[in-house]
Amino acid sequence: MYIVNHRTLFFWITGVILAAALGAIVFFGLPLGIDFTGGSLLEATYTTSEPSLDVLKKSVTDRVALGEISLRQSGETGVTLRTRTLTPAEHEAVLSALTLGGTAEFTEDKFTSVGPALGTELGKKAIWAILAVVLAIVLYIAWAFRKVPPPVPGWTYGLTVVAMLAIDIIVPTGFFAALCHFTGAQVDSLFVVALLALLGYCVNDVIVIFDRVREHLAKNEKTGLKESFETTIGKSIDETMTRSINTGLTVALALLALVFFGAPVTVNFALVMLVGVVAGTFSSICRSAPLLIPLAHRFAKK
């Protein structure tokens, strides 16, 4: 009952975290990667020490007319170059420029090139995919909880889940906006995959608690047990808390392993997932079911 009795505190904590995430999105923004804007991305690792970024940038722009380019350090001896979409000839010219006349040896780790039209199409599909997942979740929960006993109607559970999912998505998005600002990362298709995976993970955690609430309400109605809604919510949270924490901890440990020992291309994906899993576990335990209590009070006044 600790969480139910102190639910106002957890609502305030949620508000502070949500405000920080929204602030990061507004002030830092979300720079779209070439998956959505089109362009070319080249990652290279120098075999010895990395040359000066200014020297490399001047060498590239002097040799190839690319307009505005982005050249950032990646790791201890690596660089990441983002440009407009390169032709095969321009790609070869850029590789030659990065050697500084053959004085700096490197290995090309990755080269990706996406046309502007394809990038726009991928962006639209990503938005539709997220909306489709949210709609499917709402419809499923509305159907699954259609016969839940009072005091809260079944559709309220669906709206509560949507509100929780919105927060669970905004928090890792705000984190990623800050990460992009300080590291030069960009929104790519892996970021969208992470959000879709988080939608599925978070809704599963919330439904476990809601399902336990539904079971207790049905049992109380059948046996004639008089129990306050707060007690039912608190009992349901206590019974599922260990399961939620253990599940979240297991996933978090796997993601931490991916962050420290995984391939560099999956590090940002793992970090977004990690923040989302922590936020989702907190959400399912401390916000989702307790939020039903003030809603029940509102329906009781009508």
Side-chain angles (χ1 to χ4, degrees):
M1 292 294 292
Y2 177 85
I3 292 174
V4 169
N5 293 335
H6 298 82
R7 59 182 181 275
T8 304
L9 170 64
F10 292 109
F11 291 162
W12 273 106
I13 293 175
T14 299
V16 171
I17 296 174
L18 183 61
L22 288 173
I25 295 172
V26 171
F27 289 108
F28 296 145
L30 285 168
L32 297 178
I34 65 170
D35 289 356
F36 303 108
T37 61
S40 294
L41 171 69
L42 188 152
E43 294 179 359
T45 302
Y46 284 88
T47 54
T48 56
S49 60
E50 172 202 321
S52 164
L53 290 180
D54 291 336
V55 173
L56 288 175
K57 189 172 184 177
K58 186 175 187 305
S59 175
V60 172
T61 53
D62 285 348
R63 182 165 302 198
V64 190
L66 296 177
E68 188 66 24
I69 67 171
S70 170
L71 183 65
R72 289 178 175 269
Q73 184 174 352
S74 174
E76 294 182 358
T77 59
V79 294
T80 299
L81 174 67
R82 294 184 176 89
T83 70
R84 62 168 174 76
T85 305
L86 298 178
T87 65
E90 289 173 333
H91 178 209
E92 292 299 326
V94 168
L95 291 177
S96 176
L98 290 175
T99 65
L100 300 178
T103 59
E105 296 182 357
F106 67 87
T107 302
E108 186 182 28
D109 301 320
K110 176 182 178 182
F111 177 71
T112 306
S113 195
V114 179
L118 182 59
T120 302
E121 184 180 347
L122 287 175
K124 290 179 180 177
K125 285 185 176 179
I127 294 173
W128 280 112
I130 292 175
L131 293 177
V133 170
V134 172
L135 178 62
I137 289 172
V138 171
L139 292 177
Y140 168 73
I141 294 176
W143 178 82
F145 286 83
R146 66 191 185 283
K147 295 181 180 178
V148 66
V152 178
W155 57 265
T156 308
Y157 290 83
L159 289 183
T160 304
V161 169
V162 172
M164 293 302 101
L165 288 181
I167 297 173
D168 294 340
I169 291 301
I170 290 173
V171 171
T173 302
F175 163 78
F176 192 66
L179 185 70
C180 291
H181 177 75
F182 291 109
T183 67
Q186 293 183 326
V187 175
D188 56 10
S189 53
L190 273 181
F191 174 74
V192 177
V193 172
L195 294 187
L196 292 173
L198 284 173
L199 285 174
Y201 175 85
C202 294
V203 74
N204 176 65
D205 236 15
V206 174
I207 281 186
V208 168
I209 298 179
F210 280 7
D211 204 41
R212 188 58 59 93
V213 172
R214 180 178 58 177
E215 289 176 4
H216 281 305
L217 290 174
K219 184 178 179 181
N220 293 347
E221 188 178 58
K222 186 177 180 181
T223 60
L225 176 64
K226 299 296 183 183
E227 185 178 69
S228 69
F229 192 51
E230 285 86 345
T231 302
T232 303
I233 293 291
K235 190 165 60 178
S236 301
I237 293 174
D238 291 342
E239 292 173 353
T240 56
M241 186 186 301
T242 303
R243 177 262 178 203
S244 297
I245 292 175
N246 287 342
T247 303
L249 187 60
T250 304
V251 177
L253 289 174
L255 292 170
L256 281 173
L258 197 58
V259 169
F260 290 107
F261 305 111
V265 70
T266 61
V267 170
N268 289 343
F269 167 82
L271 286 174
V272 172
M273 284 290 297
L274 182 62
V275 173
V277 167
V278 173
T281 303
F282 176 81
S283 172
S284 63
I285 297 174
C286 303
R287 286 197 307 258
S288 57
L291 188 60
L292 294 174
I293 296 174
L295 294 175
H297 292 163
R298 181 173 292 274
F299 282 109
K301 292 179 182 177
K302 292 184 178 179

